[in-house]
Amino acid sequence: VGRAAIAVGGVGPTATRLRNTEAALVGQVASPGTWQVAGEAAAREVAATGDVSATADYRRATTAVYVEEALGSAASRIH
């Protein structure tokens, strides 16, 4: 991975870039395992909040899934 930009919204009070997750991706081999690790890192990095629609834990879990799927989708378009 040469460079990465990841932003999430609907998880916390504002949309935000996940710069630590982005930095961790750079230099890694593009693979499903890398996307999974990045998704897990994103879940740890995001400042999730809970409300009547979803708990903070649920939002962290879905962040991991969505980041993993988005990276895999993006990678499939450039290979």
Side-chain angles (χ1 to χ4, degrees), residues 31-32 35-36 66-79:
S31 71
W35 313 148
Q36 181 180 6
Y66 288 142
V67 167
E68 180 180 351
E69 289 179 356
L71 291 170
S73 177
S76 72
R77 289 185 298 234
I78 60 173
H79 285 106

Side-chain angles (χ1 to χ4, degrees), residues 3-56:
R3 66 185 172 105
I6 302 171
V8 296
V11 179
T14 61
T16 187
R17 290 269 306 266
L18 301 180
R19 296 186 189 277
N20 293 332
T21 302
E22 294 169 354
L25 274 170
V26 175
Q28 299 300 311
V29 174
S31 71
T34 298
W35 313 148
Q36 181 180 6
V37 169
E40 293 164 357
R44 288 189 301 275
E45 183 177 358
V46 74
T49 57
D51 60 21
V52 298
S53 298
T55 65

